Amino acid sequence: MAAQDSVLTQIARPYASALFELAEESNSVATVEQGLVAIAALAADSQDFSRFLRSPVINADAKADAIAAILSKAKADATVSNFVRVVARNGRLFALPAIISAFRDRAAAARGEVTAEVTSATALSPAQVKTLAETLKARIGKSVTLNEHVDPSLIGGLVVKVGSQMIDSSLKTKLTAMKIAMKEVG
């Protein structure tokens, strides 16, 4: 799995950098980021769309035609639309989520922000998101953008990853630690 992530990162970085530089030249980083976030949300919400992006069975030309139709119907930003079409024509749609993530990381770094991956057992309320962002900002000293994920297997608590740091306060981890400790005692 780590090797696959490494390959995706190697593919995603040049695409994300090129798009970021293009967006920066045209002062449209925020607009492009919003368009990419919408596409990422679609991929996260729709299993069919996600499978379409990853499918090796559908050839690049068919994917490019389909993605062009989707983007025109969604009235996507021209820069985002043209970029995604290029990615599709190059047969790299499987890497689109990684490209979007790399672009968002680059945009956040340009704004002086840090991105934190937050996984919780249930969706966080807006007040909880705000409190968590403020707490992380106080701890790290930079503005923090939260990428939220839900994993019901955590039972409760949070897992927060900021750069190379990980804070795991999930009940699942605590119960696992207790189970190991009890095995050692008994």
Side-chain angles (χ1 to χ4, degrees), residues 59-73:
N59 70 34
D61 292 334
K63 280 186 178 182
D65 292 342
I67 209 79
I70 291 168
L71 293 170
S72 68
K73 194 158 197 122

Side-chain angles (χ1 to χ4, degrees), residues 84-183:
V84 174
R85 286 182 184 139
V86 167
V87 171
R89 266 189 259 117
N90 290 344
R92 298 286 191 235
L93 277 180
F94 67 91
L96 189 59
I99 294 169
I100 292 170
S101 178
F103 180 91
R104 292 188 71 199
D105 289 347
R106 181 107 188 249
R111 289 189 301 266
E113 295 178 352
V114 176
T115 302
E117 297 292 328
V118 179
T119 307
S120 58
T122 59
L124 300 175
S125 70
Q128 290 171 322
V129 170
K130 183 180 177 188
T131 303
L132 180 58
E134 289 170 356
T135 303
L136 289 172
K137 181 178 181 177
R139 183 171 179 174
I140 296 168
K142 292 183 178 181
S143 293
V144 178
T145 302
L146 301 178
N147 288 338
E148 301 173 62
H149 308 282
V150 175
D151 181 1
S153 73
L154 294 180
I155 304 169
L158 297 171
V159 176
V160 181
K161 295 178 189 172
V162 182
S164 62
Q165 293 180 336
M166 184 168 102
I167 304 163
D168 188 344
S169 66
S170 68
L171 288 177
K172 179 180 179 181
T173 300
K174 290 178 181 179
L175 290 172
T176 302
M178 286 175 65
K179 183 178 177 182
I180 292 169
M182 290 178 78
K183 281 184 179 179

